[in-house]
Amino acid sequence: MSVKHRMMWAAALVLLLTLTTALAEDGGVRGTVWVDKTPDGLWDGEPTVKNVTVILEKTEAEGDEKEIARAVTERDGAFALTASEPGDYRLRIELPEEYHFTLHGLDSMALPIQGGVGYTPVFSLEAGEIRDMNIGTTKGRASVTFMVFEDANQNGGRASAEKRLSHVRVGVLYEYEGQTYTVAETTTPVGGRITLTHLSPGTYRAYFEMPEGYRAGPMGTKFSGWYNCFTQEGNLGLTVPFTVGIGDNQWVGAGVVKTAIESQ
């Protein structure tokens, strides 16, 4: 760690101690928004981020979210939000335009998402409890490209003559501590190919909704857009988990066959 980074780290700690004094009576959430230069999801003295809006939301009995407090980070990236009563909460984080969230679950609590507005998982606060929740960011981004095609010869791959399907809903899911989060979704255009861009790096499962009259075809021999990567679970096609990093574009092929030829 450089001298500059050590000084920044020390300054952030001093400010957090100051903010903690303000939280001491009621409790709440404190943390720092930082830039994951590596990126590996670990905060090791890397720079902090200003102009990030952090909002503390309380989960109401009917399932709605109520804003409790908000803060905008300065150059030190620090924030502190007071919660005067126990309950279930989450943070809503609004990043500057050029930023995305880094890997979740290590030193960053923001869930992966498409774009720069995201959330933490819901967490519980007891009366007077102070919870540390840092938020890691990156200026890079990841993407996933879908190719939905009719596997007419049922060989697990797409021949150039096999048609691609439009109006199929596709998306990526993130799984954490028994919960499944929809990161991004869309529908395929004419041509059957679409890319979900501006994604956080992370480990995902891709999915698609089974078109009417089709079922998932046989698995392909490769994990790419030219081979079927999905198995069927109910009305969904789902991939195994895969990791997409900064600057990566993972292709996934969704091969389907008509249900009328299932017995052939």
Side-chain angles (χ1 to χ4, degrees):
M1 187 187 305
S2 68
V3 173
K4 179 180 178 181
H5 284 165
R6 284 198 298 270
M7 292 176 64
M8 293 176 64
W9 178 272
L13 288 177
V14 169
L15 183 63
L16 279 177
L17 289 173
T18 303
L19 295 173
T20 299
T21 302
L23 295 178
E25 182 175 348
D26 292 325
V29 182
R30 65 184 181 185
T32 302
V33 185
W34 55 281
V35 182
D36 192 359
K37 290 282 191 178
T38 317
D40 56 5
L42 298 172
W43 186 22
D44 51 8
E46 291 151 305
T48 52
V49 187
K50 65 178 181 179
N51 296 328
V52 178
T53 300
V54 185
I55 303 167
L56 180 64
E57 297 181 339
K58 189 174 188 294
T59 302
E60 304 284 81
E62 58 274 17
D64 296 331
E65 306 294 337
K66 178 183 178 182
E67 180 176 328
I68 301 300
R70 67 168 55 204
V72 179
T73 62
E74 301 292 342
R75 289 185 60 186
D76 49 50
F79 63 89
L81 301 165
T82 299
S84 59
E85 60 184 43
D88 292 333
Y89 294 86
R90 70 177 183 182
L91 294 182
R92 173 185 169 97
I93 309 103
E94 301 174 358
L95 300 178
E97 184 176 353
E98 68 270 27
Y99 288 92
H100 296 78
F101 297 103
T102 191
L103 296 167
H104 165 253
L106 298 173
D107 287 339
S108 177
M109 287 308 299
L111 293 164
I113 196 66
Q114 184 179 42
V117 178
Y119 300 88
T120 66
V122 174
F123 55 91
S124 296
L125 282 176
E126 302 295 334
E129 179 184 359
I130 299 174
R131 183 180 287 261
D132 292 308
M133 303 188 78
N134 296 320
I135 306 297
T137 70
T138 174
K139 290 190 176 182
R141 56 185 181 266
S143 57
V144 177
T145 296
F146 292 79
M147 179 102 72
V148 183
F149 63 93
E150 181 180 329
D151 187 6
N153 61 9
Q154 299 189 63
N155 69 349
R158 180 181 180 268
S160 58
E162 291 175 328
K163 69 177 181 180
R164 295 183 288 189
L165 304 181
S166 60
H167 307 296
V168 177
R169 182 162 294 280
V170 299
V172 289
L173 305 173
Y174 179 69
E175 297 169 334
Y176 176 70
E177 293 189 343
Q179 296 291 320
T180 299
Y181 301 89
T182 299
V183 175
E185 63 180 10
T186 187
T187 55
T188 57
V190 174
R193 185 176 73 186
I194 190 73
T195 300
L196 291 171
T197 61
H198 296 275
L199 300 177
S200 310
T203 298
Y204 299 119
R205 295 181 76 187
Y207 76 90
F208 73 93
E209 292 183 358
M210 209 62 59
E212 184 176 356
Y214 288 91
R215 63 175 175 84
M219 287 288 288
T221 57
K222 296 181 180 180
F223 199 85
S224 79
W226 291 91
Y227 296 86
N228 179 40
C229 303
F230 296 80
T231 56
Q232 187 166 349
E233 297 184 23
N235 192 45
L236 292 181
L238 287 166
T239 67
V240 297
F242 62 91
T243 299
V244 57
I246 294 297
D248 292 342
N249 178 25
Q250 177 64 60
W251 284 64
V252 289
V256 296
V257 299
K258 290 184 177 179
T259 52
I261 65 174
E262 184 171 357
S263 61
Q264 295 181 8

